[in-house]
Amino acid sequence: DTAVSQTPKYLVTQMGNDKSIKCEQNLGHDTMYWYKQDSKKFLKIMFSYNNKELIINETVPNRFSPKSPDKAHLNLHINSLELGDSAVYFCASSLRQGNTEAFFGQGTRLTVV
Amino acid sequence: QQQVKQSPQSLIVQKGGIPIINCAYENTAFDYFPWYQQFPGKGPALLIAIRPDVSEKKEGRFTISFNKSAKQFSLHIMDSQPGDSATYFCAASEDFGNEKLTFGTGTRLTIIP
């Protein structure tokens, strides 16, 4: 029944590895996002997709590559992981572009060692 | 560059008291101001939101006060309960067609019995 689900919930990996986080929403929303929450709880948008099309790409290293196979899925792939990538990553969705009520997933806590 | 400034960083209030969390913004193009509530281990969830055509909005025990000329808005929680203990984020976005939310830095609220 989870509206926005992301996997895995926890991810511990070594520096230099490549990892992916998956996100799926069953709300029928057109717009999906990735947010990063750092150790101080600061939430910042990374990417926004509308109907599989990239809308927002904040200043994020190109090691981060989102992929949206369909409008219900937005996955995040991270290459060459660095210590500074350790954070909680949240997937979110909203009904359509311009509707700013966002529904968040439970988050993926990424720890790079 | 912090576009939405939130205070205090943490707040402890006795049960039944009225915690107040304040936010200030600089971008006069912002016209949607939501508050999100986040419990430990969970994603943020929309609590209440306001647009600048009104100065106050109330939903249950939660009230947003908005001062357009001062570019400030605040969240008040009436008759606070221990279950309200969470981190609260204010946010803002530019217009109805721009779904990018800029978040404040968060307030960790603790309601003690």
Side-chain angles (χ1 to χ4, degrees):
Chain A
D1 270 275
T2 306
V4 181
S5 60
Q6 52 183 113
T7 55
K9 188 170 182 180
Y10 300 97
L11 186 53
V12 181
T13 187
Q14 287 188 318
M15 276 176 55
N17 283 350
D18 303 338
K19 290 292 178 186
S20 293
I21 307 172
K22 295 186 176 181
C23 179
E24 175 182 5
Q25 54 96 2
N26 63 6
L27 297 167
H29 288 170
D30 285 348
T31 307
M32 296 186 72
Y33 317 81
W34 278 107
Y35 282 85
K36 179 180 180 180
Q37 187 170 47
D38 63 23
S39 58
K40 295 184 179 178
K41 295 272 191 181
F42 184 55
L43 263 169
K44 187 167 165 49
I45 193 168
M46 300 173 67
F47 301 103
S48 164
Y49 270 71
N50 188 64
N51 270 321
K52 304 193 299 176
E53 183 183 339
L54 179 65
I55 303 299
I56 292 175
N57 182 349
E58 289 293 286
T59 309
V60 177
N62 56 16
R63 298 182 294 105
F64 291 77
S65 53
K67 285 189 172 45
S68 182
D70 54 63
K71 73 174 193 177
H73 295 84
L74 180 62
N75 304 321
L76 183 65
H77 188 76
I78 316 170
N79 289 329
S80 304
L81 278 155
E82 300 177 358
L83 294 176
D85 297 331
S86 296
V88 181
Y89 292 84
F90 286 99
C91 177
S93 73
S94 62
L95 183 59
R96 57 186 176 274
Q97 188 181 353
N99 181 324
T100 48
E101 177 177 355
F103 293 79
F104 284 79
Q106 64 179 4
T108 296
R109 182 175 291 276
L110 171 65
T111 304
V112 182
V113 297
Chain B
Q1 181 186 359
Q2 184 58 43
Q3 291 197 55
V4 180
K5 294 183 179 177
Q6 182 172 347
S7 62
Q9 192 173 358
S10 62
L11 186 56
I12 300 174
V13 172
Q14 203 139 26
K15 178 184 171 184
I18 305 176
I20 300 173
I21 305 171
N22 299 300
C23 285
Y25 63 96
E26 297 173 0
N27 185 348
T28 54
F30 283 150
D31 72 348
Y32 175 73
F33 303 90
W35 285 88
Y36 280 79
Q37 180 188 54
Q38 184 179 25
F39 292 106
K42 303 290 185 185
L46 180 67
L47 190 62
I48 185 173
I50 197 169
R51 296 192 187 275
D53 51 344
V54 295
S55 60
E56 186 175 281
K57 183 173 181 180
K58 187 174 181 179
E59 286 184 6
R61 296 183 294 109
F62 300 92
T63 299
I64 300 179
S65 297
F66 184 80
N67 185 331
K68 188 174 181 178
S69 60
K71 293 185 285 186
Q72 294 174 348
F73 58 111
S74 58
L75 176 71
H76 301 230
I77 306 175
M78 305 301 174
D79 187 27
S80 58
Q81 302 296 315
D84 297 328
S85 298
T87 299
Y88 292 80
F89 294 91
C90 61
S93 66
E94 282 194 10
D95 56 42
F96 209 74
N98 180 351
E99 73 280 11
K100 175 184 167 182
L101 279 171
T102 298
F103 282 88
T105 48
T107 297
R108 179 173 288 188
L109 173 65
T110 303
I111 307 297
I112 52 177

